[in-house]
Amino acid sequence: DTGVSQDPRHKITKRGQNVTFRCDPISEHNRLYWYRQTLGQGPEFLTYFQNEAQLEKSRLLSDRFSAERPKGSFSTLEIQRTEQGDSAMYLCASSLGPALHTEAFFGQGTRLTVV
Amino acid sequence: AQSVTQLDSQVPVFEEAPVELRCNYSSSVSVYLFWYVQYPNQGLQLLLKYLSGSTLVKGINGFEAEFNKSQTSFHLRKPSVHISDTAEYFCAVSSAGNQFYFGTGTSLTVIP
């Protein structure tokens, strides 16, 4: 399977703990996006990378969230001191160039539950 | 700023009947419009997109959508649905091409 893969698929954590998610994009894709989707809502943009550079971050992204893409390949999204409001599906997508001109491929997501 | 409104949260329809899923957008600049589908336990998949040119856009799986600038709409249609079309459908708008603004989704249920 050469699609976008995310790990883990599910994560249950206690409030206050730190969690880290991983996204492996399609290998030749230079753009990588993180979105968050809560129940009954559409995906919300969090941040995106072009190669290893983080070019844009949503104002919705609190200081507890940090994302990296150190070698321009896989990316990690870390949430520190998790809160119950962080419970959501975290989606990763990748594309070759700007998403307007090429399709953005989404992974199956990581479902986070904070208890 | 851009935003998307999907007017129907749930749409039940009988198999082989036509369906229309409604989407209205708001933007102060030129936009690009998309429809994505999400099957249970799957990621989002692009159905179709409008960038420019013909306002009638054809996508995968027999879906099409029409861009109407005066009504700021981008409704999705299919003339005859199948059981396999049961899924969540999201309309999205983008102006800069770097992020998408998604609607809240429409759950399409095809009834045998």
Side-chain angles (χ1 to χ4, degrees), chain A residues 52-113:
Chain A
E52 65 275 10
Q54 188 173 18
L55 296 187
E56 191 170 344
K57 285 175 63 172
S58 167
R59 287 169 288 180
L60 300 173
L61 208 62
S62 80
D63 292 342
R64 296 183 297 104
F65 287 71
S66 62
E68 294 183 343
R69 195 183 182 197
K71 297 181 180 178
S73 56
F74 74 91
S75 175
T76 57
L77 177 68
E78 181 183 16
I79 309 174
Q80 295 182 324
R81 305 181 302 282
T82 52
E83 301 172 357
Q84 286 189 323
D86 297 331
S87 295
M89 177 77 84
Y90 290 83
L91 299 170
C92 176
S94 71
S95 70
L96 183 61
L100 282 185
H101 303 291
T102 63
E103 180 175 348
F105 292 83
F106 281 81
Q108 293 182 284
T110 294
R111 183 171 295 283
L112 173 66
T113 303

Side-chain angles (χ1 to χ4, degrees), chain B residues 44-106:
Chain B
L44 293 161
Q45 181 182 5
L46 181 68
L47 273 179
L48 49 80
K49 59 185 177 184
Y50 172 78
L51 305 181
S52 64
S54 173
T55 56
L56 184 63
V57 180
K58 293 190 182 298
I60 62 171
N61 301 340
F63 284 93
E64 64 181 31
E66 185 157 18
F67 171 61
N68 188 320
K69 188 175 181 179
S70 62
Q71 297 188 1
T72 60
S73 68
F74 190 55
H75 300 333
L76 181 71
R77 302 185 184 100
K78 186 170 183 177
S80 175
V81 295
H82 301 127
I83 295 290
S84 59
D85 292 324
T86 294
E88 191 84 16
Y89 291 80
F90 293 96
C91 182
V93 63
S94 176
S95 62
N98 298 325
Q99 59 171 290
F100 297 97
Y101 295 91
F102 286 85
T104 52
T106 297

